[in-house]
Amino acid sequence: MAFRNSPPPCRIPGTLWPRPRSMRVAMIAALTLMVLPVVSGCSKDSSSASSQPAAVDPNDTLIAKVNGTEIRASDLTIAEDDIGADLQGPPEQKREQLIGYLTDMILVSAAAEKRNLADTADFKRRQAIMRNKLLMGAMLQAHAKSVLTDEELRKVYDEAVKPMAAEEEVRARHILVESEDDAKAIAQQIRGGADFVALAKEKSKDPGSAEEGGDLGYFTKGRMVPEFSEVAFKMYAGQLSNPVKTQFGWHIIKVEDKRQRPVPKLANIKEQIDAYLVRRAQSEYVAKLRQTAKVERLDLPPCMPPGVPPSMMAPGAPSAPPGK
C-alpha cells in the first residue's frame, strides 16, 4: 500500500489546533502513570515562615536535626517514595540510608542558598514546573479517591467476570513433531499402551511443554492457533487425537479435562480493579479539563490555503487547515 505524504503541521492564527485522538490518549496515559508524592520538605527551628510547614503534626516524630533543620518521620516516608527502589538491606539499614539522604539534601541545598542559586532564572523556572508537577499529582490522587467506592468496585468486577463464566477451558497435552508420519507413529504407540508423558518428554519439539510431559495447562479457545483449538475443544476428556497440522508442525493432542472457566474472587483482583479505576478517573478528569482549556500552539507556522503563494497572504489573514 502506498502512503501519501502528509503536509507538515501548522497552526491557524487565532484558532486552536486539534490534537489527534491517539496523541491525547497517550498524553493522558503518561500523566496518569506518574507516581507523584507530595513533598512537604524539612523544617527549621528558627527560620523564615516560607521554610516551615503550616503546622507540625504532634504525632510526626522528630528524627534528627541538621544545623537546626528538622527531619521528621513524614520526611522519611516522602524520601522513600523518591528513592525507595534504590534502598538496600534490612528495614533499619534502609532507614539509615533515608536519614543520610535527607541530611545530604539539607546540607547541599544550604550551600546552594549561600551561592544564591535559588535566585537564578533557570532554578525558578524548574521550581515552578516541579510545583505544578506536585500539585498535579496531589490533585489527581485526591480526585481518584472519590471514585474508589465499593459500588464502583463491584460494578467493574461484575462487568469483568461476566464473560468469563460463559467460557469453556480445556486442559490438554500435546506432542509436536515435524512430519505427519512421525505423528502417526507416535499416536499408534500411545494407542498400543505407551505412556504419553514419557513420549512427550522424549520426542516433542515444543521446548515450552516437553519437560512437563506435553502439559499445556488450562486454556480458552482463543489462546491457541485455530487449527489446534478446533480439534481440542471438540474432544472429550481422555481422548487422543489424530495428527493435527498447524504452522508449528504436527501435533498429537490428548485432552485431560474440560471445565467452565473459573471466575476469580473479588478479593484476589481488588488491587487490579482499584488501579484501573484510578487510571480511568484521572484520564477522564484531565480530558475534561482539556475540553474547556484554551491551548494555543505558537511554535508552528501558520497554515496557508492550497495554491496560494506566501507572498499573496496578507499579514494576519485567516488561513484554512490543509485540505480545506
Side-chain angles (χ1 to χ4, degrees):
M1 178 184 294
F3 292 90
R4 292 177 295 177
N5 292 325
S6 300
C10 55
R11 65 178 174 88
I12 304 172
T15 63
L16 305 183
W17 190 256
R19 289 175 175 80
R21 176 176 174 82
S22 61
M23 185 182 296
R24 292 200 302 271
V25 172
M27 190 177 300
I28 292 170
L31 289 176
T32 58
L33 289 176
M34 294 179 180
V35 178
L36 301 171
V38 182
V39 179
S40 64
C42 305
S43 61
K44 192 170 183 177
D45 287 342
S46 56
S47 60
S48 64
S50 62
S51 65
Q52 294 183 348
V56 176
D57 185 347
N59 297 319
D60 192 5
T61 306
L62 181 61
I63 304 298
K65 290 185 179 181
V66 181
N67 291 337
T69 300
E70 297 176 351
I71 297 177
R72 293 186 172 270
S74 60
D75 297 318
L76 298 186
T77 301
I78 295 169
E80 187 170 9
D81 288 338
D82 189 19
I83 63 166
D86 297 325
L87 300 178
Q88 298 178 351
E92 274 305 312
Q93 184 175 335
K94 291 181 179 180
R95 186 173 183 273
E96 291 303 315
Q97 292 173 35
L98 290 172
I99 295 172
Y101 171 69
L102 290 171
T103 298
D104 293 343
M105 184 186 298
I106 293 168
L107 293 174
V108 176
S109 64
E113 289 279 7
K114 290 181 180 179
R115 292 183 56 180
N116 298 318
L117 295 182
D119 297 330
T120 64
D122 179 69
F123 178 84
K124 290 179 178 179
R125 192 65 188 166
R126 291 176 183 272
Q127 185 180 43
I129 291 174
M130 288 303 299
R131 181 177 184 275
N132 287 340
K133 179 180 178 181
L134 292 171
L135 284 173
M136 177 178 71
M139 186 66 225
L140 291 177
Q141 289 177 4
H143 178 73
K145 288 181 181 179
S146 66
V147 303
L148 292 179
T149 63
D150 291 340
E151 293 78 10
E152 192 64 22
L153 183 69
R154 171 60 66 173
K155 180 182 176 182
V156 172
Y157 171 76
D158 290 341
E159 291 174 353
V161 302
K162 186 177 180 180
M164 294 183 187
E167 278 194 288
E168 186 180 33
E169 286 187 325
V170 165
R171 182 185 177 189
R173 296 179 183 270
H174 83 134
I175 299 173
L176 174 66
V177 291
E178 294 178 355
S179 71
E180 184 178 13
D181 289 340
D182 289 341
K184 287 180 177 179
I186 290 172
Q188 187 174 359
Q189 286 180 268
I190 295 170
R191 291 191 176 99
D195 182 60
F196 189 103
V197 172
L199 284 174
K201 291 181 177 180
E202 178 187 350
K203 298 181 178 295
S204 182
K205 304 299 182 183
D206 177 12
S209 68
E211 291 185 2
E212 303 299 325
D215 192 2
L216 298 170
Y218 284 97
F219 54 87
T220 54
K221 198 169 186 177
R223 290 284 303 277
M224 299 297 176
V225 292
E227 301 89 345
F228 191 99
S229 287
E230 285 298 323
V231 173
F233 278 81
K234 290 178 181 177
M235 296 168 63
Y236 54 82
Q239 186 177 3
L240 188 74
S241 75
N242 293 319
V244 178
K245 189 177 189 307
T246 72
Q247 66 197 69
F248 303 104
W250 290 86
H251 309 256
I252 295 297
I253 305 170
K254 181 184 179 184
V255 170
E256 298 281 350
D257 188 27
K258 300 182 81 170
R259 70 179 185 185
Q260 293 302 115
R261 185 178 180 185
V263 174
K265 294 181 179 180
L266 175 58
N268 294 338
I269 58 173
K270 183 180 181 298
E271 289 186 5
Q272 294 171 267
I273 297 177
D274 284 346
Y276 164 75
L277 287 173
V278 167
R279 289 194 300 269
R280 186 180 71 178
Q282 292 175 339
S283 296
E284 291 174 350
Y285 180 74
V286 175
K288 185 177 180 180
L289 290 178
R290 281 185 169 275
Q291 288 176 358
T292 57
K294 182 180 180 181
V295 181
E296 298 179 276
R297 286 294 303 272
L298 305 178
D299 59 332
L300 300 175
C303 296
M304 292 183 294
V308 179
S311 59
M312 295 181 63
M313 287 292 292
S319 320
K324 296 290 185 181

